[in-house]
Amino acid sequence: MSWDISNPAFGLRTKKLEELEALLHMSELNNWEVDLKEELSVTYEALVLTDSDQTILWVNHGFQAMTGYTPQFALGKKPRFLQGIKTCKKAKSRIGRNLALGKRISETLTNYRKNGEEYICQISIIPLINSTQDISHFLALETEIR
């Protein structure tokens, strides 16, 4: 039996392992009380880590593939730069209310790629609680609905 490392599925597993390792390292530094292995066991394309003020601190490889924006461009910005005229204001309000209460939320939003093309994005946002029970970060798992 041999491994075919040229298989695209192998590359996906490798990237997901790298993402998990990066987030586990950040979890250790920030004392998050979350089972990241469990949280990342679902299907997702893009990961977006923000601080408690929702400023982007880290994105995975899938973020650029989905949005067209480089990680360097996204860092330091708030995710709203992906939104536009067709982004539902009620959904944005529900997200804001739930995050303010420290609740996880899933919503479907119309977002916009760097080239202006709109896409439908299923977003699940997890508040990351530290050992003092404060929300220190948020992790968004995003999947494009085709």
Side-chain angles (χ1 to χ4, degrees):
M1 185 171 189
S2 68
W3 289 87
D4 182 1
I5 61 172
S6 64
N7 182 327
F10 181 79
L12 288 175
R13 282 193 300 270
T14 301
K15 284 182 182 176
K16 294 222 179 204
L17 277 173
E18 289 172 7
E19 294 164 1
L20 176 60
E21 287 174 6
L23 286 169
L24 286 171
H25 177 71
M26 287 183 258
S27 178
E28 202 173 286
L29 292 174
N30 292 286
N31 297 310
W32 295 333
E33 295 185 350
V34 63
D35 183 349
L36 287 168
K37 289 179 186 175
E38 176 69 23
E39 297 293 354
L40 298 181
S41 68
V42 300
T43 300
Y44 65 86
E45 294 171 56
L47 294 173
V48 179
L49 177 71
T50 69
D51 63 15
S52 59
D53 292 325
Q54 300 171 27
T55 300
I56 298 173
L57 302 175
W58 177 86
V59 297
N60 72 339
H61 300 291
F63 178 84
Q64 185 170 356
M66 180 186 287
T67 68
Y69 291 100
T70 65
Q72 294 79 11
F73 179 85
L75 298 180
K77 292 182 175 50
K78 297 194 184 277
R80 67 176 161 251
F81 78 88
L82 297 167
Q83 300 168 359
I85 194 157
K86 290 188 181 177
T87 305
C88 178
K89 289 177 179 39
K90 288 181 182 178
K92 289 180 2 181
S93 179
R94 284 190 299 269
I95 290 170
R97 275 195 315 274
N98 279 276
L99 295 184
L101 294 171
K103 295 181 180 179
R104 69 175 51 222
I105 183 154
S106 291
E107 281 287 345
T108 301
L109 290 176
T110 299
N111 276 347
Y112 293 82
R113 300 185 212 287
K114 183 178 180 184
N115 67 7
E117 175 185 29
E118 64 185 59
Y119 66 99
I120 307 299
C121 187
Q122 176 65 43
I123 302 171
S124 296
I125 305 172
I126 305 161
L128 299 174
I129 312 289
N130 63 23
S131 58
T132 59
Q133 302 306 299
D134 295 315
I135 297 171
S136 64
H137 296 81
F138 295 100
L139 180 63
L141 289 78
E142 304 182 5
T143 304
E144 182 177 353
I145 298 178
R146 294 173 169 82

Short mmCIF file of all heavy atoms in Angstrom, two decimals, residues 7 16 23 44 57 59 66 83-85 90 114 116 121 127 131 138:
data_model
loop_
_atom_site.label_atom_id
_atom_site.label_comp_id
_atom_site.label_asym_id
_atom_site.label_seq_id
_atom_site.Cartn_x
_atom_site.Cartn_y
_atom_site.Cartn_z
N ASN A 7 -2.35 13.25 -4.94
CA ASN A 7 -3.81 13.25 -4.87
C ASN A 7 -4.29 14.55 -4.24
O ASN A 7 -3.84 14.92 -3.17
CB ASN A 7 -4.24 12.03 -4.03
CG ASN A 7 -5.74 11.89 -3.95
OD1 ASN A 7 -6.47 12.87 -3.95
ND2 ASN A 7 -6.20 10.67 -3.86
N LYS A 16 -5.68 21.29 6.06
CA LYS A 16 -6.56 21.30 7.23
C LYS A 16 -5.77 20.99 8.50
O LYS A 16 -6.03 21.57 9.55
CB LYS A 16 -7.73 20.33 7.05
CG LYS A 16 -8.63 20.78 5.92
CD LYS A 16 -10.05 20.63 6.22
CE LYS A 16 -10.86 21.13 5.04
NZ LYS A 16 -12.16 21.54 5.38
N LEU A 23 -4.27 26.97 14.75
CA LEU A 23 -5.30 27.39 15.70
C LEU A 23 -5.06 26.79 17.08
O LEU A 23 -5.32 27.45 18.10
CB LEU A 23 -6.68 27.02 15.17
CG LEU A 23 -7.17 27.91 14.02
CD1 LEU A 23 -8.40 27.32 13.37
CD2 LEU A 23 -7.42 29.33 14.51
N TYR A 44 -15.89 23.13 5.76
CA TYR A 44 -15.70 24.57 5.62
C TYR A 44 -14.68 24.81 4.52
O TYR A 44 -13.92 23.93 4.16
CB TYR A 44 -15.25 25.23 6.93
CG TYR A 44 -13.88 24.78 7.38
CD1 TYR A 44 -12.72 25.38 6.91
CD2 TYR A 44 -13.74 23.70 8.25
CE1 TYR A 44 -11.47 24.95 7.29
CE2 TYR A 44 -12.49 23.26 8.64
CZ TYR A 44 -11.36 23.89 8.16
OH TYR A 44 -10.11 23.45 8.54
N LEU A 57 -7.43 38.78 12.45
CA LEU A 57 -6.06 38.50 12.88
C LEU A 57 -5.40 37.41 12.04
O LEU A 57 -4.17 37.36 11.95
CB LEU A 57 -6.05 38.05 14.35
CG LEU A 57 -6.66 39.02 15.35
CD1 LEU A 57 -6.70 38.38 16.73
CD2 LEU A 57 -5.88 40.32 15.36
N VAL A 59 -6.40 34.36 8.67
CA VAL A 59 -7.30 33.64 7.76
C VAL A 59 -6.56 32.43 7.22
O VAL A 59 -5.33 32.40 7.18
CB VAL A 59 -7.81 34.53 6.59
CG1 VAL A 59 -8.63 35.69 7.09
CG2 VAL A 59 -6.66 35.01 5.72
N MET A 66 -11.75 31.70 -1.82
CA MET A 66 -13.17 32.05 -1.82
C MET A 66 -13.41 33.51 -2.18
O MET A 66 -14.33 33.82 -2.93
CB MET A 66 -13.79 31.77 -0.44
CG MET A 66 -15.27 32.10 -0.36
SD MET A 66 -15.96 31.92 1.30
CE MET A 66 -16.01 30.16 1.44
N GLN A 83 -18.89 42.67 2.49
CA GLN A 83 -20.33 42.88 2.33
C GLN A 83 -20.61 44.00 1.33
O GLN A 83 -19.73 44.78 0.99
CB GLN A 83 -20.95 43.19 3.68
CG GLN A 83 -20.73 42.05 4.66
CD GLN A 83 -21.07 42.41 6.09
OE1 GLN A 83 -21.46 43.53 6.39
NE2 GLN A 83 -20.91 41.44 6.98
N GLY A 84 -21.87 44.03 0.88
CA GLY A 84 -22.25 45.03 -0.10
C GLY A 84 -23.74 45.25 -0.11
O GLY A 84 -24.45 44.90 0.85
N ILE A 85 -24.22 45.76 -1.22
CA ILE A 85 -25.61 46.20 -1.33
C ILE A 85 -26.63 45.08 -1.09
O ILE A 85 -27.69 45.32 -0.52
CB ILE A 85 -25.86 46.89 -2.69
CG1 ILE A 85 -27.17 47.63 -2.67
CG2 ILE A 85 -25.77 45.91 -3.84
CD1 ILE A 85 -27.27 48.74 -3.67
N LYS A 90 -30.80 42.50 8.12
CA LYS A 90 -31.37 41.75 9.24
C LYS A 90 -30.43 40.63 9.69
O LYS A 90 -30.27 40.40 10.89
CB LYS A 90 -32.74 41.18 8.88
CG LYS A 90 -33.82 42.24 8.79
CD LYS A 90 -35.17 41.64 8.45
CE LYS A 90 -36.21 42.73 8.32
NZ LYS A 90 -37.52 42.19 7.95
N LYS A 114 -13.28 40.05 -4.38
CA LYS A 114 -12.44 41.20 -4.76
C LYS A 114 -12.83 41.75 -6.14
O LYS A 114 -12.82 42.96 -6.35
CB LYS A 114 -10.97 40.78 -4.75
CG LYS A 114 -10.02 41.91 -5.05
CD LYS A 114 -8.59 41.46 -5.00
CE LYS A 114 -7.67 42.63 -5.31
NZ LYS A 114 -6.27 42.21 -5.35
N GLY A 116 -15.72 41.94 -7.33
CA GLY A 116 -17.07 42.49 -7.30
C GLY A 116 -18.17 41.46 -7.45
O GLY A 116 -19.35 41.78 -7.27
N CYS A 121 -22.70 32.89 1.10
CA CYS A 121 -21.77 32.31 2.07
C CYS A 121 -22.52 31.87 3.32
O CYS A 121 -23.25 32.67 3.92
CB CYS A 121 -20.72 33.37 2.41
SG CYS A 121 -19.38 32.76 3.43
N PRO A 127 -17.85 32.05 19.32
CA PRO A 127 -17.13 32.89 20.27
C PRO A 127 -16.09 32.03 20.99
O PRO A 127 -16.39 30.91 21.42
CB PRO A 127 -18.21 33.35 21.26
CG PRO A 127 -19.51 33.05 20.60
CD PRO A 127 -19.26 31.90 19.68
N SER A 131 -9.95 31.19 29.72
CA SER A 131 -10.07 30.57 31.05
C SER A 131 -10.71 31.48 32.09
O SER A 131 -11.16 31.02 33.12
CB SER A 131 -8.70 30.08 31.53
OG SER A 131 -7.80 31.17 31.57
N PHE A 138 -13.20 35.48 17.97
CA PHE A 138 -14.28 34.80 17.27
C PHE A 138 -13.65 34.02 16.12
O PHE A 138 -12.71 34.51 15.48
CB PHE A 138 -15.30 35.78 16.69
CG PHE A 138 -16.06 36.55 17.72
CD1 PHE A 138 -15.70 37.85 18.05
CD2 PHE A 138 -17.15 35.98 18.37
CE1 PHE A 138 -16.40 38.57 19.00
CE2 PHE A 138 -17.86 36.69 19.33
CZ PHE A 138 -17.48 37.99 19.64
#
